[in-house]
Amino acid sequence: MIGAQDFSLTPDQLMIQESAAQFLDDRSASAMVRAAMESASGFDASLWTAMSQDLGWTGTHIPEAYGGLDLSFVELTLLLEQMGRRLACSPFFATVVMGATTLMMAADHETKARLLPQIASGELTATVGFGARGVDWDPASVTAVAEPVEGGYRLSGGFRHVPDGSTAALLLLVARLHGEIALFSVNANADGLTAREHANLDRTRRIAHVTLDGVVVDSTSLICRGTSLNDALARVRAMAGIALASEQLGAAQQCLDMTLAYAAERVQFGRPINSFQAVKHRCAEMMVKIEATRSAIYGAARFVTTTPDTASLLLEAACAKTFASEALFFCAQEAIQLHGGVGFTWEYDPHLYFKRAQASSQWFGSPGTLREEVAISLLDAARPVSCQ
Amino acid sequence: MNLAEQDEAFRTEVAQWMRDHLRGKFECLRHRGGAGDEDAFPALRKEWEQELAAGKWTCVGWPQAYGGRGLSVAQQIIFHEEYARAGGPGHIGHLGETLLGPTLIAYGTPSQKARFLPGIVAGTEYWCQGYSEPGAGSDLANVQTRARLDQTTGEWVIDGQKVWTSLAHESQWIFVVARCEPGSQGHKGLIFLLVPLDQPGVEVRPIRQITGSCEFNEVFFDGARTSAENVVGEPGEGWKIAMALLGFERGLSWIGMQMHFEHQLQLVCKAAREAGTDKIPSIRARIADAWMGLKVMHYNTLRTLAGGQDGSLTREGYIIKYYWSNWHRDLGKLALDALGPEGDIFIDDFSRTRLQQVFLFSRSDTIVAGTNEVQLNIIAERALGMPKEMRPQKPTTETRV
Ligand SMILES: Cc1cc2nc3c(=O)[nH]c(=O)nc-3n(C[C@H](O)[C@H](O)[C@H](O)COP(=O)(O)OP(=O)(O)OC[C@H]3O[C@@H](n4cnc5c(N)ncnc54)[C@H](O)[C@@H]3O)c2cc1C
C-alpha cells in the first residue's frame, strides 16, 4: 500500500524538477521548438547533447551497473513532465523510456551490459517497433515474421508509428518466431531495413514506418521471446504509458499557464478578460483536471517502484494515461478558445499542444481502449473495487 | 517493531475490534447512515457511537489530552479504512468530531474545552452547524441572525433563522454564526456562539428533501439564550472562527468517505452484472471512469496529507471538494443507469435502495459546503490568483430604512 509519506517529493527530487524546468525554459523555448520542428531530423541536436551528455538525463532510471544514475521511475516522470511542458524535441522518449526500459525488462545481462551503457551515456539512440497497427502494443498486431537461418534470423514485415524510427540507431523490433512473439535488436543501417517518416500531425515528435525486407541478423540479436517477452512488454507498456502521461501533464500545465498569462493581458469591455467568471471557471476546470492527473501519475509512478504484479500496474497506467490524455486535450482546447482569434493562428503556441494532445492520446492505449481494459477487470473478471 | 509493522498491527487491531463489536444488535448498521441515509436507525447509531467511545475509537486524531488517541496521520488513515471496510455506519456525531471539536481545541477557552469536548468524545452530545440562512448561502458573510448581550443576565440573546441545518433534530447543540454589531456588514461584526437547542426560544422544523426523508431542518431563534461563556473567540471576530472551522472540513474524513464510495461502486458493478447492463459499452466505460476517478481521489488525498501539514491548502487540496462531489454525482446517475428500468422501482433490498439514495442524495454534493460555482471561484481566485468577483456595494441597513 502506498502511504501519504510516499507522496512528498524529496529535496533531491524537487531539485531535479526545478533545474529541469529552468534548463528547458532556456533551451526549449517556443522559437527553438519551432526551429527543431522544421528541421530535417525533427530535433535539436545541441539540446539532445546537453540533455544526454552534459546532464546525464539519459541514465536516469538505468541501474548503476549499466552506466546509469540508478534513480527511480519517479525521477524519470519528473523530467518528462518538464519535457512535455516545453515540447522538447528530442529522441529521449523513444530512446530512454521505450528503448532502455524494454532492454531493462526483457534483455539478459550480456545484452544489457552491451547496450544500456551506450544509451545512458547518450551515444546510442533507440526505439521500439511493435506491430503493423500502431502504438497500442497489442500482441495481436504483430505481423512481422522471423525465420531461423544459418547463424541467425531473417526478418520481414512492417512496423507503423515507430517513434523516431528514421533517426534511431538501434531498433528493437517485435516479430513472430514459430508462432510466438520475439524481440530482436536491429541496427538502423542493416541491409533491407527502410524507415520512412510519416507526414504526421504532431511535428514535435517524428514517427516512421519501418519495413524489414529479408533483414538478416545474427543469433545474439534475439533478445527475448514467448511468455516472458509478453510479460516484459506488458510491463514496459504500462511504464511507457505512465511516462507519456507525465509528458502530457507537463503540456497541460503549460496550456493553463499560457492561458492565464494571456487572459491577464487581454482587455475587452474595459476589463482584463481574466476577471470574467466564465473565463475564470474555465481556467479553474483546467486546474482541476491537471491536479487530478498529477495525483494519478504520482500514485502510478510510485506503484512502478514498489513492483507489484503487472496486471495491477497496467490498471494504474490505464488510469494515469486516460486522465492525462483527457486533461491535455481539454486544456489545449480551452487554451485555443480562451486565446480567441489568435488561438487559431500558427504564430501562437496552443496549436502545438493541441496536436501533441491528439497524437499522444492514441499511444499505449487510447482512453477508449484503456477504459475497456479497466471494465474487463472490474466487470468480466469481477476484480473487487479497491482504490488502494 | 518498525513503523510499518506497528501500522500493520494497528490495522489488525482495528479490524478485529470492528469484527467483535459491529455485530449482534449493531449488525443491521453495516454500511448504513452515510450521506442520504442519515435518518437510518438514529437511536441505535447513537448507541453505537457510545460503543465506539467505550473502545476509545472516537476522535482518534485528537490529542490525548482531550480524550483522543493522538494517532499519526498514517494510523488515522488506517483507522478510517478499516472502519469503512468493516461497514462501520456513518457518525451522527461527525460535526462535533470533525468540525467543532478541532475548532475548540484551537480557539476555545479552557472551560469550553472542559465542558464540551468530553461529550463529543463520549458520543453523548451531538452538534449541528448553524451557518446558512435564507439570505446567506454562498454569500455566507451576509448572515442576518442577530445576537445581543443582555446586560442584566450576561447572556447572549439570539433572534433569526437558520436553514438547511443537518441533523438539528438529532442534536442538543448548535454552533451559530450571528451578527452582534447592528449595522455591520459582511465579515465584520459577527459572533460565533454555542447555543443549546433544547430551550423555549428555539424551534426546529424538519424540511422534507429530494429523497423523501428529512435530514435537514429550519431552525428558528426567537429570544433564544446562551451564556456569555459560550462565545468562541471574541465577539465581532466570529468570521475568523467560522472560517477556521471550515478549514477542518478537509482532511482525513475524506479517506473514510472514499471507502464508502468504494463500497457504492462495488454495488454498481454488482447491479450492472445482475441487470445485464455490464454488456453495454457506454456503461462499461463509465464504470471504468468511476473506478479511475476513485483512484485519483485516493491519491489526491494522500498528496494533500503529504503536503500542507501547516493547514495551508495546496494545489491538490483546492480541487478535492469539486472533484469528489462531481464524481459522486456522476456515480449516482451511473448507478441508476446500471440498474436500468429496475432503478425506478423501490423494493426491500438495501443494495438497491442504497443506489437509489446515492442517485438522489448526490445532487446535494455539488451544493453543500460550497457549490460548484463557488468552488471554481475559490480555485480561480486563491489557487490561480485571478481577479476577485466584483461585489456591488450593498446598501447599509441605515440607508434602506
Ligand atoms: C444536504 C444539505 C445539507 C446542508 N447542511 C447544512 C448544515 O448543516 N448547516 C448549514 O449551515 N448549511 C447547510 N447546508 C447549506 C449549504 O451550505 C448551502 O446550501 C450552500 O452553501 C449553497 O447556498 P444556497 O443554498 O443559499 O444557494 P445560493 O447561494 O442561493 O446559490 C444558488 C445558485 O447560485 C449560484 N451562485 C451563488 N453565488 C454565486 C457566485 N458568486 N458566482 C456564481 N454562481 C453563484 C450557486 O452556485 C447556485 O448554483 C446544507 C445544504 C444541503 C443541500
Side-chain angles (χ1 to χ4, degrees), chain B residues 124-196:
Chain B
T124 49
E125 245 171 22
Y126 294 90
W127 286 85
C128 59
Q129 178 174 22
Y131 275 27
S132 303
E133 296 180 8
S138 301
D139 188 9
L140 181 59
N142 192 37
V143 292
Q144 300 301 333
T145 293
R146 295 170 308 283
R148 73 186 153 80
L149 191 62
D150 178 342
Q151 301 292 353
T152 53
T153 62
E155 291 171 324
W156 286 90
V157 183
I158 303 129
D159 291 289
Q161 182 196 346
K162 293 288 169 181
V163 72
W164 319 131
T165 319
S166 296
L167 294 171
H169 57 297
E170 297 293 347
S171 305
Q172 296 102 317
W173 286 81
I174 184 168
F175 47 93
V176 172
V177 181
R179 198 159 290 286
C180 61
E181 290 168 15
S184 65
Q185 273 187 39
H187 311 161
K188 302 206 178 77
L190 297 173
I191 188 168
F192 190 100
L193 278 170
L194 311 176
V195 183

Side-chain angles (χ1 to χ4, degrees), chain B residues 173-221:
Chain B
W173 286 81
I174 184 168
F175 47 93
V176 172
V177 181
R179 198 159 290 286
C180 61
E181 290 168 15
S184 65
Q185 273 187 39
H187 311 161
K188 302 206 178 77
L190 297 173
I191 188 168
F192 190 100
L193 278 170
L194 311 176
V195 183
L197 284 165
D198 185 15
Q199 58 167 312
V202 177
E203 191 192 344
V204 175
R205 285 191 207 147
I207 303 174
R208 194 168 153 97
Q209 52 196 37
I210 190 169
T211 49
S213 57
C214 306
E215 178 214 309
F216 55 37
N217 306 269
E218 290 176 290
V219 180
F220 295 89
F221 300 101

Side-chain angles (χ1 to χ4, degrees), chain B residues 81-128:
Chain B
E81 282 173 354
E82 290 308 313
Y83 183 84
R85 182 170 289 134
H91 285 201
I92 293 178
H94 70 93
L95 291 166
E97 174 162 349
T98 62
L99 298 184
L100 184 69
T103 306
L104 288 182
I105 290 171
Y107 296 99
T109 62
S111 65
Q112 285 168 347
K113 291 177 194 176
R115 164 64 188 86
F116 294 113
L117 297 179
I120 296 174
V121 173
T124 49
E125 245 171 22
Y126 294 90
W127 286 85
C128 59

Side-chain angles (χ1 to χ4, degrees), chain A residues 60 62 99 143 162 174 198 213 284 306 372:
Chain A
T60 307
I62 295 176
T143 54
V162 182
V174 186
H198 294 289
D213 187 8
T306 54
E372 178 56 20

Side-chain angles (χ1 to χ4, degrees), chain A residues 19 40 79 112 149 350:
Chain A
S19 58
L79 288 177
K112 286 197 264 198
V149 293

